[in-house]
Amino acid sequence: MSEYGFWSLLPPLAAIGLALRTKQVFLSLTLGIWIGWVIINGGNILSGSFDTLNAFVAVFEDAGNTRTVIFTLFIGALIALIQRSGGVAGFISLVKTKLESQEANNKNRNNRRLVQLFASLTGIVIFVESNISILTVGTLYRPIFDNLKISREKLAYLADSSSAPSCIIFPFNAWGAYIMGLLVMQGFDKPFATMMSALPYNFYPFLALGIVAYIIYTGKDFGPMKKAEQRAVEEGKLIADGAIPMISDEVSMLEAKPGIAHRSINMILPIVTMIIMMPMMLVYTGWSSLDTTDGSFIDLAFQAMGQGSGSTSVLTSVATALVVAIGLYKVQGLLGIKEMVDLSLKGMSGMVSLAILMVFAFALGSLCKELKTGLYVAEISKAWLSPNLVPAIVFLVSCFIAFSTGTSWGTFAIMISIAVPMAQSMGTDPHLAIAAAIGGGVFGDHCSPISDTTIISSMASASDHVDHVNTQLPYALTAGGVTLLMYLALGFLM
């Protein structure tokens, strides 16, 4: 158990509370990290302050963290090139053409419903990486949502709620590779089969997407989202009075270059390249660790994905997409090399604030690991558990850890290592416990205002961050509440 006990909870709780109170994410994360290092130094404010600065530097000692930050900057470059090449404009033209073809009884309502459906489907289809999915949905659909007077909060919700759930449901990505790696550590010799066997019990992502579909189809929003949508429709205000968008329109959006044709292929091809490259790179980076003399190619490929480097695969996939985009635009004569370099730098600059926020989030995650925040929560919960309650309690504890730390992946690492042996020793189906740990991690991360995906959703949609959290929370809590009831029922039935 953590030697810091209850004090290990104070840094993430302080960051969360301050973020909700002040809407200043940078300040909130900084204060949370500073409090944690002061605690580690026994209350010495001076030493804690020096260690806080060193904690930010230490983020880059981890190659995976560095790759993620670089990948974020590359995403900014790719988005800028896609926008300037007319790819985004071409895609938007396709969407508008589809909307116009649907004009019938209630034009405005049908258009609003259809464009929200397209946005959600886009987020689901780009299951290769949650951040790519969010950034794509937010960037591409914001102009269309603005034209139809759909609130920025709704766009942020749709981007957020279609990203991580789809990454879990379709685990041919870094998420799946990471989870399979954790399962291998727990002694499962067929991690892919184990993960897929647990998937039907992972209720939260399915329910989250189900609520998205229900809200889009019926138009029956509830909670703060209902007020946001009424404000957008009746007053034409896309954000609330006094709200502060996480990123400005000028930084995040670029007009297509004047005088060029708008072709959707200029957006689709680079994105498809990313999607194809991701599983290929997972296999490539994990292949050298396998005994290739045993098993079929398909089995070895799945095993390699479990051993592959997610951060390397993501970075390589985005870099390859950048190369494809540059070559495509050069061949068409749309953009010159110097122009594309300048655009790439401009796109990267628009992502600097996001990259900095990710550094802050990584620093907070490392701090929580040092304090053993997740382990403390998990250990004290063991006293409650009985075989029938294992799935529900694992889900609840995973929710709280992910909400407090802002990371689903860190929660997976903590809870799978505890839930699996606990379920096996208490006679509970381990697949159910695995699903509860993963679902709880996604749910808690989905609700947390310090989660990187929640932050990115606000930035990609140019929404006020706290408004995004407040409007999304009732939908997430609804799916989470139903999930908890289902785990309670299955705990007594299985």
Side-chain angles (χ1 to χ4, degrees):
M1 183 179 289
S2 170
E3 61 182 289
Y4 301 99
F6 173 78
W7 290 104
S8 65
L9 298 177
L10 188 57
L13 290 178
I16 291 168
L18 191 62
L20 293 173
R21 178 70 176 174
T22 67
K23 300 186 178 183
Q24 298 295 322
V25 178
F26 286 103
L27 174 63
S28 303
L29 290 174
T30 302
L31 182 62
I33 294 167
W34 178 77
I35 288 174
W37 284 107
V38 169
I39 291 172
I40 291 174
N41 282 276
N44 188 316
I45 294 177
L46 184 61
S47 296
S49 299
F50 282 127
D51 283 349
T52 298
L53 294 176
N54 290 329
F56 293 122
V57 177
V59 166
F60 296 97
E61 294 177 1
D62 185 302
N65 292 346
T66 304
R67 292 189 196 103
T68 303
V69 172
I70 295 173
F71 138 76
T72 304
L73 297 177
F74 277 10
I75 279 290
L78 182 62
I79 290 175
L81 290 174
I82 291 175
Q83 290 172 343
R84 192 63 173 169
S85 71
V88 174
F91 184 81
I92 291 174
S93 296
L94 281 180
V95 174
K96 288 182 177 179
T97 300
K98 182 65 176 177
L99 291 174
E100 290 170 358
S101 69
Q102 296 295 319
E103 290 181 359
N105 300 326
N106 192 329
K107 175 182 176 181
N108 188 52
R109 180 177 179 182
N110 286 341
N111 283 357
R112 289 171 61 86
R113 179 187 298 168
L114 194 61
V115 75
Q116 291 179 65
L117 177 61
F118 283 172
S120 299
L121 289 177
T122 301
I124 293 171
V125 167
I126 308 177
F127 58 82
V128 64
E129 211 285 320
S130 59
N131 291 344
I132 293 176
S133 171
I134 292 169
L135 289 168
T136 301
V137 172
T139 302
L140 295 183
Y141 286 92
R142 194 192 320 159
I144 305 174
F145 273 53
D146 289 355
N147 288 338
L148 293 174
K149 296 183 179 180
I150 303 175
S151 67
R152 294 281 177 82
E153 293 94 327
K154 175 62 75 69
L155 176 59
Y157 162 66
L158 294 178
D160 204 350
S161 295
S162 61
S163 58
S166 65
C167 289
I168 289 295
I169 293 173
F170 306 105
F172 300 97
N173 48 37
W175 291 65
Y178 178 68
I179 292 170
M180 284 188 284
L182 296 176
L183 294 177
V184 168
M185 295 173 60
Q186 295 303 313
F188 292 98
D189 57 353
K190 296 181 179 180
F192 182 78
T194 302
M195 180 176 62
M196 296 307 292
S197 297
L199 184 59
Y201 302 115
N202 198 351
F203 306 121
Y204 178 76
F206 290 101
L207 288 170
L209 290 178
I211 290 177
V212 167
Y214 172 80
I215 294 298
I216 292 174
Y217 179 75
T218 64
K220 295 180 179 179
D221 291 290
F222 56 89
M225 186 69 80
K226 183 175 182 179
K227 295 180 180 179
E229 284 292 88
Q230 289 176 341
R231 179 201 70 227
V233 173
E234 297 172 4
E235 303 177 37
K237 296 179 179 178
L238 301 173
I239 59 175
D241 292 333
I244 304 174
M246 286 286 283
I247 191 168
S248 68
D249 291 338
E250 291 76 13
V251 173
S252 60
M253 295 296 293
L254 288 173
E255 296 292 334
K257 184 177 180 179
I260 64 173
H262 298 169
R263 301 186 181 99
S264 60
I265 189 65
N266 290 332
M267 185 203 79
I268 294 173
L269 186 58
I271 291 178
V272 169
T273 299
M274 285 192 297
I275 294 174
I276 294 175
M277 282 296 298
M278 185 65 193
M280 290 176 60
M281 286 305 304
L282 285 171
V283 172
Y284 175 78
T285 56
W287 192 265
S288 60
S289 63
L290 302 180
D291 178 6
T292 56
T293 62
D294 183 23
S296 66
F297 176 79
I298 299 298
D299 291 337
L300 289 172
F302 282 129
Q303 292 178 40
M305 287 181 65
Q307 300 297 323
S309 170
S311 59
T312 299
S313 300
V314 167
L315 179 59
T316 306
S317 299
V318 178
T320 304
L322 261 175
V323 172
V324 169
I326 291 172
L328 180 64
Y329 307 153
K330 180 61 177 176
V331 168
Q332 296 179 65
L334 301 177
L335 303 170
I337 295 297
K338 183 181 183 302
E339 186 178 9
M340 285 189 280
V341 171
D342 292 340
L343 281 170
S344 297
L345 293 175
K346 183 174 183 179
M348 290 181 185
S349 68
M351 288 293 174
V352 166
S353 59
L354 174 55
I356 294 174
L357 277 172
M358 296 185 81
V359 172
F360 276 56
F362 288 144
L364 181 61
S366 297
L367 171 67
C368 290
K369 184 177 181 180
E370 181 75 19
L371 290 169
K372 296 183 174 64
T373 304
L375 183 60
Y376 170 72
V377 176
E379 288 291 333
I380 62 174
S381 68
K382 283 184 178 179
W384 314 357
L385 294 179
S386 70
N388 295 334
L389 295 177
V390 166
I393 298 300
V394 167
F395 178 74
L396 283 175
V397 174
S398 295
C399 291
F400 185 72
I401 294 173
F403 183 83
S404 299
T405 61
T407 169
S408 54
W409 284 33
T411 302
F412 299 160
I414 294 168
M415 289 306 298
I416 287 179
S417 63
I418 294 174
V420 169
M422 185 180 298
Q424 291 171 335
S425 64
M426 301 180 74
T428 302
D429 186 347
H431 297 102
L432 193 57
I434 292 169
I438 295 173
V442 174
F443 170 50
D445 182 74
H446 208 182
C447 297
S448 177
I450 61 175
S451 162
D452 60 339
T453 53
T454 308
I455 293 170
I456 292 170
S457 297
S458 298
M459 296 188 76
S461 60
S463 171
D464 181 280
H465 183 54
V466 174
D467 287 345
H468 165 47
V469 173
N470 289 338
T471 52
Q472 177 170 265
L473 198 57
Y475 299 143
L477 289 175
T478 300
V482 175
T483 299
L484 178 62
L485 293 176
M486 295 177 75
Y487 283 135
L488 283 170
L490 284 178
F492 285 94
L493 294 175
M494 295 184 66

